[in-house]
Amino acid sequence: MRLLPLAPGRLWRGSPRHLPSCSPALLLLVLGACLRVFGVAAGTRRPNVVLLLTDDQDEVLGGMTPLKKTKALIGEMGMTFSSAYVPSALCCPSRASILTGKYPHNHHVVNNTLEGNCSSKSWQKIQEPNTFPAILRSMCGYQTFFAGKYLNEYGAPDAGGLEHVPLGWSYWYALEKNSKYYNYTLSINGKARKHGENYSVDYLTDVLANVSLDFLDYKSNFEPFFMMIATPAPHSPWTAAPQYQKAFQNVFAPRNKNFNIHGTNKHWLIRQAKTPMTNSSIQFLDNAFRKRWQTLLSVDDLVEKLVKRLEFTGELNNTYIFYTSDNGYHTGQFSLPIDKRQLYEFDIKVPLLVRGPGIKPNQTSKMLVANIDLGPTILDIAGYDLNKTQMDGMSLLPILRGASNLTWRSDVLVEYQGEGRNVTDPTCPSLSPGVSQCFPDCVCEDAYNNTYACVRTMSALWNLQYCEFDDQEVFVEVYNLTADPDQITNIAKSIDPELLGKMNYRLMMLQSCSGPTCRTPGVFDPGYRFDPRLMFSNRGSVRTRRFSKHLL
């Protein structure tokens, strides 16, 4: 299927007569692997799925506050996950994890650059054919629709340009490179279309809403559908729609306990931040916080329009809707002005709301989940046998359906490879080489050795985070989030050494896991087994560094 340009007043139109077709016998043969869960009889429609993905929307600092309609239409009509995490606090690695159901060390996207495998030729050849949308399309016969930001380097000339349409998408409406609101280029099934700065026809969040509604109007009624809508909001440059540019004038970034304080006993990158922040820095981040919320009001409108159209077309009761973000964000925590990339809750925790068939309203789940679970969940909804995949995540469908006596994970892996060149920033000569994402006052948000891996553990007795850095210090950070939810006090030097050793070993295991081995019992699970001998190499030295310098 190719999206067709419309006459003025429409973005594109595709009608059922343009859709691919096959004989009933061939269709049943192709779909046989996708009828397992629901026991679907021939001629019965399987559930549709919509995935709404925002860009840099936090959960910890109130990122869902502006989205009143979204909370009412999705959260209150279904389930809200209060412990949802990303395996990497950066756009491209996190989005790659959503698409593949894999941790970064398995999909090999480590940052937002082509060199970091973000939408590279290697990604396109090895990972794209195995994403869950590709499986939905090829094995389950779903119509698959994408609109918005894909991966940060999508459209780069060295990676096929805008002509490249990833396998598995029957409708493709993708943004070139990173988030913008005006003056951007879209790939419409491989054809470039430039947009300007006229709000009524170019504001990207509204464009995504309109093209999504068009899809619902003109899709085939004979196949289930999957939609992924990835908005630019609330990513910089935080350009709100005109009608929302005066909203939240009395709103400021939260002054929580870790706001504008020195990151004592933390990795050197956190310690280098200047405390207290200057008045200009605080004014800047307050303004950014306000503008981020303003951009989300258009997302709220998009969600409302989408739900209403699904209801109008009679599809709503047979459609699962997921709402989440690719990573969190911080505004002044530990005196870091604005960004993501760090290991703390504000950067790795995200919203996750789900409604759909069989999900009771007004539920909250405390289960520890991650965005690597989205792909397996959606394939499970389609009835696909998850044993045929190589995904690291777990299906959330039993949780969504209220399964009792459910055995679930107690930990997830978080991993990040820092960005930065081994040269000194000429504007900040006092800083060591290798820093990046620096502000005018020489506070930097990243560095080449801001490379870390963490085990985020939640059990009946422990709410713990254990992290190791790949640097000369071999720095370790440990937090008890029950006693210290703002992660102010690093307890690495005071925690029980035996527990520290177990967490170190568990981290090693997760960093080398793949598929089922990523779902083995955690340190506090009854089935956990710890062999101290595995902590040592053949030469008797303690194993601590397991970071790949060259993942591609």
Side-chain angles (χ1 to χ4, degrees):
M1 172 65 196
R2 289 288 184 252
L3 301 184
L4 303 177
L6 278 182
R10 286 284 187 183
L11 297 171
W12 60 269
R13 177 172 295 175
S15 62
R17 63 189 175 88
H18 295 114
L19 292 166
S21 61
C22 59
S23 69
L26 179 59
L27 182 63
L28 287 174
L29 181 65
V30 171
L31 304 186
C34 292
L35 307 182
R36 174 181 55 84
V37 169
F38 291 93
V40 180
T44 303
R45 279 286 301 277
R46 284 160 295 141
N48 311 303
V49 183
V50 177
L51 172 59
L52 295 151
L53 180 66
T54 55
D55 197 352
D56 287 1
Q57 184 182 359
D58 68 275
E59 192 275 339
V60 172
L61 302 180
M64 284 300 299
T65 304
L67 293 142
K68 295 180 179 179
K69 291 180 282 192
T70 299
K71 289 187 289 186
L73 293 169
I74 303 179
E76 292 176 16
M77 298 302 295
M79 182 175 289
T80 298
F81 287 86
S82 61
S83 302
Y85 291 85
V86 295
S88 190
L90 189 63
C91 301
C92 204
S94 181
R95 288 164 183 258
S97 287
I98 291 173
L99 292 164
T100 63
K102 298 177 181 178
Y103 284 119
H105 69 264
N106 286 327
H107 61 58
H108 307 304
V109 178
V110 297
N111 57 39
N112 287 343
T113 66
L114 280 177
E115 295 78 15
N117 205 30
C118 182
S119 200
S120 68
K121 288 286 189 180
S122 173
W123 158 266
Q124 294 169 16
K125 179 181 179 180
I126 299 172
Q127 301 297 339
E128 280 185 346
N130 299 304
T131 61
F132 79 84
I135 297 172
L136 282 176
R137 186 62 186 151
S138 64
M139 300 304 296
C140 301
Y142 271 66
Q143 303 167 82
T144 52
F145 166 91
F146 182 87
K149 174 180 169 178
Y150 179 56
L151 301 175
N152 294 57
E153 285 295 327
Y154 172 74
D158 292 341
L162 294 173
E163 293 79 16
H164 172 68
V165 177
L167 287 174
W169 296 102
S170 38
Y171 298 76
W172 182 251
Y173 205 84
L175 176 67
E176 179 183 32
K177 295 196 173 181
N178 207 0
S179 286
K180 292 183 177 180
Y181 299 82
Y182 294 111
N183 298 311
Y184 54 85
T185 302
L186 296 173
S187 170
I188 304 178
N189 278 327
K191 303 288 185 180
R193 176 180 291 176
K194 292 188 176 181
H195 280 258
E197 52 188 20
N198 182 339
Y199 169 71
S200 63
V201 294
D202 295 319
Y203 189 69
L204 182 55
T205 305
D206 291 353
V207 168
L208 299 181
N210 292 335
V211 74
S212 300
L213 299 181
D214 275 344
F215 167 76
L216 292 175
D217 285 343
Y218 299 107
K219 64 175 176 57
S220 167
N221 290 322
F222 303 100
E223 298 172 312
F225 61 82
F226 167 70
M227 302 176 72
M228 184 171 178
I229 306 166
T231 72
H235 196 284
S236 62
W238 317 304
T239 309
Q243 66 270 29
Y244 296 134
Q245 289 179 358
K246 294 184 179 180
F248 307 120
Q249 290 302 302
N250 296 319
V251 168
F252 303 90
R255 270 45 171 182
N256 49 5
K257 290 183 179 179
N258 55 22
F259 179 82
N260 197 17
I261 67 169
H262 187 252
T264 307
N265 296 322
K266 288 176 168 52
H267 185 240
W268 75 268
L269 186 67
I270 309 301
R271 299 196 304 264
Q272 57 88 33
K274 294 178 173 60
T275 306
M277 292 182 289
T278 63
N279 289 336
S280 60
S281 291
I282 293 177
Q283 199 170 40
F284 171 76
L285 67 86
D286 277 336
N287 192 45
F289 187 89
R290 189 176 304 115
K291 287 184 174 181
R292 282 165 52 81
W293 276 23
Q294 291 170 355
T295 67
L296 285 169
L297 292 175
S298 293
V299 176
D300 211 29
D301 292 341
L302 182 157
V303 172
E304 181 184 40
K305 292 174 185 176
L306 188 73
V307 171
K308 285 185 175 180
R309 187 61 56 89
L310 286 167
E311 186 174 29
F312 178 78
T313 58
E315 300 276 10
L316 183 60
N317 290 337
N318 194 39
T319 301
Y320 287 88
I321 305 177
F322 293 75
Y323 182 98
T324 192
S325 172
D326 56 1
N327 49 254
Y329 208 70
H330 57 259
T331 48
Q333 283 62 47
F334 302 121
S335 298
L336 296 173
I338 55 165
D339 199 33
K340 51 265 186 172
R341 306 170 199 266
Q342 309 307 329
L343 58 87
Y344 309 104
E345 293 283 283
F346 42 73
D347 283 0
I348 64 173
K349 194 173 184 181
V350 293
L352 178 57
L353 290 68
V354 191
R355 68 172 288 172
I359 305 176
K360 295 179 181 179
N362 286 307
Q363 292 190 90
T364 298
S365 173
K366 296 181 180 180
M367 292 291 198
L368 179 61
V369 302
N371 70 10
I372 57 171
D373 301 329
L374 295 175
T377 303
I378 293 169
L379 290 177
D380 201 8
I381 288 170
Y384 189 73
D385 184 357
L386 297 181
N387 292 322
K388 295 181 179 180
T389 75
Q390 298 177 338
M391 295 181 174
D392 303 331
M394 304 169 68
S395 172
L396 304 177
L397 199 52
I399 299 175
L400 294 171
R401 290 180 163 182
S404 58
N405 300 319
L406 182 65
T407 300
W408 196 251
R409 68 157 73 90
S410 64
D411 58 22
V412 293
L413 174 68
V414 179
E415 48 191 350
Y416 177 69
Q417 184 164 312
E419 293 183 58
R421 295 181 301 158
N422 195 22
V423 295
T424 301
D425 187 331
T427 62
C428 300
S430 62
L431 295 177
S432 302
V435 295
S436 63
Q437 311 296 319
C438 297
F439 285 84
D441 56 357
C442 294
V443 173
C444 301
E445 295 274 4
D446 206 5
Y448 73 92
N449 70 350
N450 184 38
T451 296
Y452 60 82
C454 304
V455 181
R456 182 68 179 91
T457 297
M458 297 183 71
S459 70
L461 298 177
W462 286 94
N463 187 3
L464 194 69
Q465 186 175 18
Y466 173 90
C467 302
E468 292 183 13
F469 283 83
D470 183 32
D471 59 9
Q472 291 181 347
E473 295 179 291
V474 194
F475 202 81
V476 176
E477 295 189 28
V478 184
Y479 298 97
N480 178 354
L481 283 96
T482 300
D484 180 23
D486 296 294
Q487 297 170 288
I488 294 171
T489 305
N490 178 9
I491 60 172
K493 294 183 179 180
S494 60
I495 197 170
D496 179 1
E498 182 180 354
L499 177 56
L500 204 64
K502 288 181 179 180
M503 297 302 295
N504 173 269
Y505 174 60
R506 180 61 178 165
L507 181 58
M508 285 195 294
M509 295 291 291
L510 286 175
Q511 281 189 276
S512 58
C513 76
S514 179
T517 60
C518 297
R519 304 187 289 272
T520 55
V523 169
F524 303 105
D525 291 329
Y528 177 73
R529 296 293 179 266
F530 173 58
D531 185 348
R533 294 172 297 180
L534 298 176
M535 296 292 298
F536 298 88
S537 67
N538 293 334
R539 297 182 180 180
S541 60
V542 177
R543 291 181 178 178
T544 55
R545 300 169 72 98
R546 300 164 303 287
F547 298 88
S548 171
K549 296 295 184 185
H550 222 31
L551 292 177
L552 305 187

